[in-house]
Amino acid sequence: MDSPQSAHSAAAKTALRDQVRAARRRRPPDASAEVAAAVAEVALGWGPVRDAATVAAYVSVGSEPGTGLLLEALVAAGTRVVVPVVRPDRDLDWTVYTGPDDLAPAVRGLLEPSGPRLGVDAVRTADVVLAPGLAVSPAGDRLGQGGGYYDRVLPRVPAQTPVAIVLFDDEVGLDVPADPHDVRVGFVLTASGVRRLGPLEG
């Protein structure tokens, strides 16, 4: 049974998700295209991504900040890109991203490659992880979509591996409710740049 504190946190997270999703739906399509281009430029100029042999990323869908241009640029540069595939047990497997032509519709409105599955621990092979989300606090508390997938993924990422959440600028620095099991992220990547997160930030 959930404790009163965790129940309160869950309600607060739901309210914040609703708020951010509503704001995302109001963004004009042309602005989203500009953000996708800027996100790709920023990511490719960030040292951990620029120097990585393997990048763990994701295929954006809907109103998320677009990652398509970034994924294409990484593949074109010869970088190995792994992206998540949802398993029936609500965990995430991983597969190599080869291009948009290999994507197929999946659960929860996602798009997934059809290549061989690499296993849940494949994220450990990445030199940097780019994670989706809805908001982040100055301390690095990440608000996800509510499925709990990255609650399983992030604890598997080695401590020295940089993890950045990809967001719109106005989703950074929000008061994100956190539970003891939540894993903080060290960076946020937006169209404006990459920013380190942590207890001294803000």
Short mmCIF file of all heavy atoms in Angstrom, two decimals, residues 122-177:
data_model
loop_
_atom_site.label_atom_id
_atom_site.label_comp_id
_atom_site.label_asym_id
_atom_site.label_seq_id
_atom_site.Cartn_x
_atom_site.Cartn_y
_atom_site.Cartn_z
N ALA A 122 21.98 -3.39 -22.30
CA ALA A 122 22.73 -2.77 -23.40
C ALA A 122 22.98 -1.29 -23.16
O ALA A 122 23.93 -0.72 -23.69
CB ALA A 122 21.99 -2.97 -24.71
N VAL A 123 22.14 -0.65 -22.34
CA VAL A 123 22.34 0.77 -22.05
C VAL A 123 23.68 1.00 -21.35
O VAL A 123 24.25 2.09 -21.43
CB VAL A 123 21.17 1.32 -21.20
CG1 VAL A 123 21.19 0.74 -19.78
CG2 VAL A 123 21.17 2.84 -21.17
N ARG A 124 24.21 -0.02 -20.72
CA ARG A 124 25.51 0.10 -20.04
C ARG A 124 26.65 0.32 -21.03
O ARG A 124 27.72 0.82 -20.65
CB ARG A 124 25.81 -1.16 -19.21
CG ARG A 124 24.83 -1.45 -18.09
CD ARG A 124 25.25 -2.73 -17.36
NE ARG A 124 24.29 -3.13 -16.35
CZ ARG A 124 24.32 -2.71 -15.09
NH1 ARG A 124 25.27 -1.87 -14.70
NH2 ARG A 124 23.42 -3.12 -14.22
N THR A 125 26.44 -0.03 -22.29
CA THR A 125 27.49 0.11 -23.29
C THR A 125 27.58 1.53 -23.84
O THR A 125 28.52 1.85 -24.57
CB THR A 125 27.27 -0.85 -24.47
OG1 THR A 125 26.11 -0.45 -25.21
CG2 THR A 125 27.08 -2.28 -23.98
N ALA A 126 26.62 2.37 -23.50
CA ALA A 126 26.59 3.72 -24.05
C ALA A 126 27.60 4.62 -23.33
O ALA A 126 27.83 4.49 -22.12
CB ALA A 126 25.19 4.31 -23.91
N ASP A 127 28.17 5.53 -24.08
CA ASP A 127 29.09 6.52 -23.51
C ASP A 127 28.34 7.75 -22.98
O ASP A 127 28.88 8.52 -22.19
CB ASP A 127 30.10 6.97 -24.57
CG ASP A 127 30.91 5.79 -25.09
OD1 ASP A 127 31.64 5.17 -24.29
OD2 ASP A 127 30.80 5.47 -26.29
N VAL A 128 27.11 7.92 -23.43
CA VAL A 128 26.25 9.01 -22.97
C VAL A 128 24.81 8.57 -23.20
O VAL A 128 24.52 7.83 -24.14
CB VAL A 128 26.57 10.33 -23.71
CG1 VAL A 128 26.39 10.18 -25.21
CG2 VAL A 128 25.75 11.49 -23.17
N VAL A 129 23.91 9.01 -22.33
CA VAL A 129 22.50 8.65 -22.43
C VAL A 129 21.67 9.93 -22.57
O VAL A 129 21.80 10.85 -21.75
CB VAL A 129 22.03 7.87 -21.19
CG1 VAL A 129 20.53 7.57 -21.28
CG2 VAL A 129 22.82 6.58 -21.03
N LEU A 130 20.84 9.98 -23.61
CA LEU A 130 19.89 11.07 -23.80
C LEU A 130 18.51 10.50 -23.51
O LEU A 130 18.04 9.59 -24.19
CB LEU A 130 19.96 11.60 -25.23
CG LEU A 130 21.33 12.12 -25.68
CD1 LEU A 130 21.28 12.60 -27.12
CD2 LEU A 130 21.83 13.23 -24.76
N ALA A 131 17.86 11.03 -22.47
CA ALA A 131 16.60 10.46 -21.99
C ALA A 131 15.43 11.41 -22.23
O ALA A 131 15.59 12.63 -22.18
CB ALA A 131 16.72 10.16 -20.49
N PRO A 132 14.26 10.85 -22.47
CA PRO A 132 13.07 11.69 -22.62
C PRO A 132 12.51 12.09 -21.26
O PRO A 132 12.91 11.56 -20.22
CB PRO A 132 12.10 10.77 -23.36
CG PRO A 132 12.45 9.40 -22.84
CD PRO A 132 13.95 9.42 -22.64
N GLY A 133 11.58 13.00 -21.28
CA GLY A 133 10.92 13.41 -20.05
C GLY A 133 10.02 14.59 -20.29
O GLY A 133 9.83 15.03 -21.43
N LEU A 134 9.46 15.11 -19.20
CA LEU A 134 8.55 16.25 -19.29
C LEU A 134 9.06 17.48 -18.56
O LEU A 134 8.67 18.61 -18.90
CB LEU A 134 7.18 15.86 -18.73
CG LEU A 134 6.37 14.87 -19.56
CD1 LEU A 134 5.17 14.36 -18.77
CD2 LEU A 134 5.91 15.51 -20.86
N ALA A 135 9.89 17.29 -17.55
CA ALA A 135 10.40 18.42 -16.78
C ALA A 135 11.57 17.95 -15.93
O ALA A 135 11.77 16.74 -15.73
CB ALA A 135 9.30 19.00 -15.88
N VAL A 136 12.33 18.91 -15.43
CA VAL A 136 13.43 18.58 -14.53
C VAL A 136 13.62 19.72 -13.54
O VAL A 136 13.41 20.90 -13.87
CB VAL A 136 14.74 18.31 -15.32
CG1 VAL A 136 15.36 19.59 -15.86
CG2 VAL A 136 15.75 17.55 -14.48
N SER A 137 13.98 19.36 -12.31
CA SER A 137 14.24 20.37 -11.28
C SER A 137 15.69 20.82 -11.35
O SER A 137 16.52 20.18 -12.00
CB SER A 137 13.95 19.77 -9.90
OG SER A 137 14.99 18.89 -9.52
N PRO A 138 16.04 21.92 -10.68
CA PRO A 138 17.44 22.34 -10.66
C PRO A 138 18.37 21.28 -10.10
O PRO A 138 19.55 21.22 -10.47
CB PRO A 138 17.42 23.59 -9.77
CG PRO A 138 16.03 24.13 -9.91
CD PRO A 138 15.16 22.91 -10.02
N ALA A 139 17.85 20.42 -9.22
CA ALA A 139 18.67 19.37 -8.61
C ALA A 139 18.81 18.14 -9.50
O ALA A 139 19.61 17.25 -9.21
CB ALA A 139 18.09 18.96 -7.27
N GLY A 140 18.03 18.07 -10.60
CA GLY A 140 18.11 16.91 -11.49
C GLY A 140 16.99 15.91 -11.31
O GLY A 140 17.04 14.82 -11.89
N ASP A 141 15.96 16.26 -10.54
CA ASP A 141 14.81 15.37 -10.41
C ASP A 141 14.02 15.41 -11.71
O ASP A 141 13.57 16.47 -12.15
CB ASP A 141 13.91 15.81 -9.24
CG ASP A 141 14.64 15.72 -7.91
OD1 ASP A 141 15.16 14.64 -7.59
OD2 ASP A 141 14.69 16.75 -7.20
N ARG A 142 13.86 14.24 -12.34
CA ARG A 142 13.24 14.14 -13.66
C ARG A 142 11.79 13.70 -13.57
O ARG A 142 11.46 12.78 -12.84
CB ARG A 142 14.03 13.11 -14.49
CG ARG A 142 13.40 12.69 -15.79
CD ARG A 142 14.16 11.52 -16.42
NE ARG A 142 13.39 10.93 -17.53
CZ ARG A 142 12.48 9.98 -17.37
NH1 ARG A 142 12.23 9.48 -16.17
NH2 ARG A 142 11.83 9.51 -18.43
N LEU A 143 10.94 14.39 -14.32
CA LEU A 143 9.54 13.98 -14.44
C LEU A 143 9.38 13.23 -15.75
O LEU A 143 9.58 13.80 -16.82
CB LEU A 143 8.61 15.19 -14.42
CG LEU A 143 7.11 14.86 -14.52
CD1 LEU A 143 6.63 14.18 -13.24
CD2 LEU A 143 6.30 16.12 -14.81
N GLY A 144 9.05 11.94 -15.66
CA GLY A 144 8.84 11.14 -16.85
C GLY A 144 7.39 11.13 -17.26
O GLY A 144 6.55 11.85 -16.71
N GLN A 145 7.08 10.28 -18.24
CA GLN A 145 5.73 10.21 -18.76
C GLN A 145 4.78 9.42 -17.86
O GLN A 145 3.57 9.41 -18.09
CB GLN A 145 5.75 9.57 -20.16
CG GLN A 145 6.46 10.39 -21.21
CD GLN A 145 5.65 11.57 -21.72
OE1 GLN A 145 4.52 11.78 -21.29
NE2 GLN A 145 6.22 12.33 -22.63
N GLY A 146 5.31 8.74 -16.87
CA GLY A 146 4.45 8.03 -15.93
C GLY A 146 4.42 6.52 -16.11
O GLY A 146 3.79 5.82 -15.32
N GLY A 147 5.12 6.02 -17.13
CA GLY A 147 5.12 4.57 -17.35
C GLY A 147 6.11 3.82 -16.48
O GLY A 147 6.02 2.60 -16.35
N GLY A 148 7.07 4.53 -15.91
CA GLY A 148 8.05 3.89 -15.04
C GLY A 148 9.20 3.22 -15.77
O GLY A 148 10.05 2.59 -15.14
N TYR A 149 9.26 3.36 -17.09
CA TYR A 149 10.29 2.66 -17.87
C TYR A 149 11.70 3.12 -17.49
O TYR A 149 12.59 2.30 -17.25
CB TYR A 149 10.06 2.86 -19.37
CG TYR A 149 8.73 2.35 -19.85
CD1 TYR A 149 7.70 3.23 -20.18
CD2 TYR A 149 8.49 0.99 -19.97
CE1 TYR A 149 6.48 2.76 -20.61
CE2 TYR A 149 7.27 0.50 -20.40
CZ TYR A 149 6.26 1.40 -20.72
OH TYR A 149 5.05 0.93 -21.14
N TYR A 150 11.91 4.42 -17.45
CA TYR A 150 13.25 4.91 -17.15
C TYR A 150 13.59 4.81 -15.66
O TYR A 150 14.75 4.94 -15.28
CB TYR A 150 13.43 6.34 -17.68
CG TYR A 150 13.84 6.34 -19.14
CD1 TYR A 150 12.90 6.18 -20.14
CD2 TYR A 150 15.18 6.44 -19.52
CE1 TYR A 150 13.27 6.13 -21.48
CE2 TYR A 150 15.56 6.40 -20.85
CZ TYR A 150 14.60 6.24 -21.83
OH TYR A 150 14.98 6.20 -23.15
N ASP A 151 12.59 4.55 -14.82
CA ASP A 151 12.89 4.22 -13.42
C ASP A 151 13.67 2.92 -13.36
O ASP A 151 14.46 2.70 -12.42
CB ASP A 151 11.59 4.07 -12.61
CG ASP A 151 10.90 5.40 -12.41
OD1 ASP A 151 11.57 6.46 -12.48
OD2 ASP A 151 9.66 5.40 -12.19
N ARG A 152 13.48 2.06 -14.33
CA ARG A 152 14.24 0.81 -14.41
C ARG A 152 15.57 1.01 -15.15
O ARG A 152 16.57 0.37 -14.82
CB ARG A 152 13.40 -0.27 -15.12
CG ARG A 152 12.12 -0.64 -14.39
CD ARG A 152 11.23 -1.53 -15.27
NE ARG A 152 10.05 -1.99 -14.58
CZ ARG A 152 8.93 -1.28 -14.44
NH1 ARG A 152 8.85 -0.08 -14.95
NH2 ARG A 152 7.90 -1.78 -13.79
N VAL A 153 15.56 1.87 -16.16
CA VAL A 153 16.75 2.06 -16.98
C VAL A 153 17.86 2.81 -16.25
O VAL A 153 19.02 2.39 -16.25
CB VAL A 153 16.38 2.83 -18.27
CG1 VAL A 153 17.64 3.27 -19.02
CG2 VAL A 153 15.52 1.96 -19.17
N LEU A 154 17.53 3.94 -15.64
CA LEU A 154 18.56 4.82 -15.10
C LEU A 154 19.44 4.18 -14.03
O LEU A 154 20.65 4.45 -13.99
CB LEU A 154 17.92 6.11 -14.58
CG LEU A 154 17.29 7.00 -15.67
CD1 LEU A 154 16.65 8.24 -15.05
CD2 LEU A 154 18.33 7.40 -16.71
N PRO A 155 18.91 3.31 -13.16
CA PRO A 155 19.81 2.66 -12.20
C PRO A 155 20.85 1.74 -12.84
O PRO A 155 21.85 1.40 -12.21
CB PRO A 155 18.85 1.85 -11.31
CG PRO A 155 17.54 2.56 -11.41
CD PRO A 155 17.50 3.03 -12.83
N ARG A 156 20.62 1.34 -14.10
CA ARG A 156 21.59 0.47 -14.79
C ARG A 156 22.73 1.26 -15.41
O ARG A 156 23.74 0.68 -15.80
CB ARG A 156 20.88 -0.32 -15.89
CG ARG A 156 19.80 -1.26 -15.40
CD ARG A 156 19.21 -2.07 -16.55
NE ARG A 156 18.14 -2.93 -16.06
CZ ARG A 156 16.90 -2.91 -16.49
NH1 ARG A 156 16.55 -2.09 -17.48
NH2 ARG A 156 15.99 -3.71 -15.98
N VAL A 157 22.55 2.56 -15.56
CA VAL A 157 23.58 3.38 -16.22
C VAL A 157 24.75 3.56 -15.26
O VAL A 157 24.57 3.97 -14.11
CB VAL A 157 23.01 4.75 -16.61
CG1 VAL A 157 24.09 5.62 -17.26
CG2 VAL A 157 21.82 4.59 -17.55
N PRO A 158 25.99 3.25 -15.70
CA PRO A 158 27.15 3.44 -14.83
C PRO A 158 27.24 4.87 -14.32
O PRO A 158 26.89 5.83 -15.02
CB PRO A 158 28.33 3.10 -15.74
CG PRO A 158 27.75 2.16 -16.77
CD PRO A 158 26.36 2.65 -17.00
N ALA A 159 27.71 5.02 -13.08
CA ALA A 159 27.72 6.33 -12.43
C ALA A 159 28.50 7.37 -13.21
O ALA A 159 28.18 8.56 -13.18
CB ALA A 159 28.29 6.19 -11.02
N GLN A 160 29.55 6.94 -13.93
CA GLN A 160 30.39 7.91 -14.65
C GLN A 160 29.82 8.30 -16.02
O GLN A 160 30.36 9.19 -16.69
CB GLN A 160 31.80 7.36 -14.83
CG GLN A 160 31.93 6.22 -15.82
CD GLN A 160 31.63 4.85 -15.21
OE1 GLN A 160 31.07 4.76 -14.10
NE2 GLN A 160 32.03 3.78 -15.88
N THR A 161 28.75 7.66 -16.45
CA THR A 161 28.16 7.95 -17.76
C THR A 161 27.25 9.17 -17.69
O THR A 161 26.30 9.17 -16.90
CB THR A 161 27.36 6.75 -18.29
OG1 THR A 161 28.22 5.61 -18.36
CG2 THR A 161 26.79 7.03 -19.66
N PRO A 162 27.49 10.21 -18.48
CA PRO A 162 26.60 11.37 -18.46
C PRO A 162 25.19 11.02 -18.93
O PRO A 162 25.03 10.31 -19.92
CB PRO A 162 27.27 12.36 -19.43
CG PRO A 162 28.68 11.87 -19.59
CD PRO A 162 28.62 10.39 -19.41
N VAL A 163 24.20 11.52 -18.21
CA VAL A 163 22.80 11.34 -18.58
C VAL A 163 22.17 12.72 -18.71
O VAL A 163 22.21 13.52 -17.76
CB VAL A 163 22.02 10.51 -17.54
CG1 VAL A 163 20.55 10.40 -17.94
CG2 VAL A 163 22.64 9.13 -17.38
N ALA A 164 21.59 13.00 -19.87
CA ALA A 164 20.93 14.28 -20.11
C ALA A 164 19.48 14.06 -20.49
O ALA A 164 19.18 13.21 -21.33
CB ALA A 164 21.64 15.07 -21.20
N ILE A 165 18.58 14.79 -19.88
CA ILE A 165 17.18 14.78 -20.27
C ILE A 165 16.97 15.84 -21.33
O ILE A 165 17.53 16.94 -21.24
CB ILE A 165 16.27 15.00 -19.04
CG1 ILE A 165 14.80 14.95 -19.44
CG2 ILE A 165 16.60 16.31 -18.34
CD1 ILE A 165 13.85 15.00 -18.24
N VAL A 166 16.23 15.53 -22.38
CA VAL A 166 16.00 16.44 -23.50
C VAL A 166 14.63 17.11 -23.31
O VAL A 166 13.60 16.43 -23.27
CB VAL A 166 16.06 15.70 -24.84
CG1 VAL A 166 15.86 16.68 -25.99
CG2 VAL A 166 17.39 14.95 -24.98
N LEU A 167 14.64 18.44 -23.20
CA LEU A 167 13.42 19.18 -22.89
C LEU A 167 13.32 20.47 -23.69
O LEU A 167 14.28 20.90 -24.33
CB LEU A 167 13.39 19.54 -21.40
CG LEU A 167 13.34 18.41 -20.38
CD1 LEU A 167 13.48 18.98 -18.97
CD2 LEU A 167 12.05 17.61 -20.50
N PHE A 168 12.17 21.11 -23.60
CA PHE A 168 12.02 22.48 -24.04
C PHE A 168 12.53 23.39 -22.92
O PHE A 168 12.53 23.01 -21.75
CB PHE A 168 10.55 22.80 -24.34
CG PHE A 168 10.00 22.07 -25.53
CD1 PHE A 168 9.18 20.96 -25.37
CD2 PHE A 168 10.29 22.50 -26.82
CE1 PHE A 168 8.67 20.28 -26.47
CE2 PHE A 168 9.77 21.83 -27.93
CZ PHE A 168 8.97 20.72 -27.75
N ASP A 169 12.94 24.60 -23.27
CA ASP A 169 13.56 25.49 -22.29
C ASP A 169 12.67 25.78 -21.09
O ASP A 169 13.16 25.86 -19.95
CB ASP A 169 13.96 26.81 -22.96
CG ASP A 169 15.21 26.67 -23.82
OD1 ASP A 169 16.24 26.21 -23.30
OD2 ASP A 169 15.14 27.01 -25.02
N ASP A 170 11.37 25.95 -21.31
CA ASP A 170 10.49 26.32 -20.20
C ASP A 170 10.11 25.14 -19.31
O ASP A 170 9.34 25.29 -18.36
CB ASP A 170 9.24 27.03 -20.71
CG ASP A 170 8.44 26.20 -21.71
OD1 ASP A 170 8.78 25.01 -21.93
OD2 ASP A 170 7.46 26.73 -22.28
N GLU A 171 10.67 23.97 -19.59
CA GLU A 171 10.43 22.79 -18.74
C GLU A 171 11.59 22.53 -17.78
O GLU A 171 11.58 21.56 -17.04
CB GLU A 171 10.20 21.57 -19.63
CG GLU A 171 8.96 21.72 -20.51
CD GLU A 171 8.88 20.71 -21.64
OE1 GLU A 171 9.85 19.97 -21.88
OE2 GLU A 171 7.82 20.67 -22.31
N VAL A 172 12.56 23.41 -17.80
CA VAL A 172 13.76 23.28 -16.96
C VAL A 172 13.61 24.12 -15.70
O VAL A 172 13.14 25.26 -15.75
CB VAL A 172 15.01 23.73 -17.75
CG1 VAL A 172 16.26 23.59 -16.87
CG2 VAL A 172 15.16 22.92 -19.03
N GLY A 173 14.03 23.57 -14.57
CA GLY A 173 14.01 24.31 -13.32
C GLY A 173 12.68 24.31 -12.61
O GLY A 173 12.45 25.14 -11.72
N LEU A 174 11.78 23.39 -12.98
CA LEU A 174 10.48 23.31 -12.32
C LEU A 174 10.59 22.55 -11.00
O LEU A 174 11.56 21.84 -10.75
CB LEU A 174 9.47 22.64 -13.24
CG LEU A 174 9.24 23.29 -14.61
CD1 LEU A 174 8.12 22.58 -15.36
CD2 LEU A 174 8.95 24.77 -14.47
N ASP A 175 9.57 22.70 -10.18
CA ASP A 175 9.52 22.00 -8.89
C ASP A 175 8.95 20.61 -9.13
O ASP A 175 7.74 20.41 -9.12
CB ASP A 175 8.66 22.80 -7.92
CG ASP A 175 8.64 22.17 -6.52
OD1 ASP A 175 9.47 21.27 -6.26
OD2 ASP A 175 7.80 22.58 -5.70
N VAL A 176 9.85 19.65 -9.37
CA VAL A 176 9.43 18.28 -9.69
C VAL A 176 9.38 17.44 -8.42
O VAL A 176 10.38 17.30 -7.72
CB VAL A 176 10.41 17.63 -10.70
CG1 VAL A 176 10.03 16.18 -10.95
CG2 VAL A 176 10.42 18.42 -12.00
N PRO A 177 8.22 16.87 -8.07
CA PRO A 177 8.14 16.00 -6.89
C PRO A 177 9.05 14.78 -7.09
O PRO A 177 9.15 14.25 -8.20
CB PRO A 177 6.67 15.59 -6.86
CG PRO A 177 5.95 16.57 -7.73
CD PRO A 177 6.93 16.99 -8.77
#
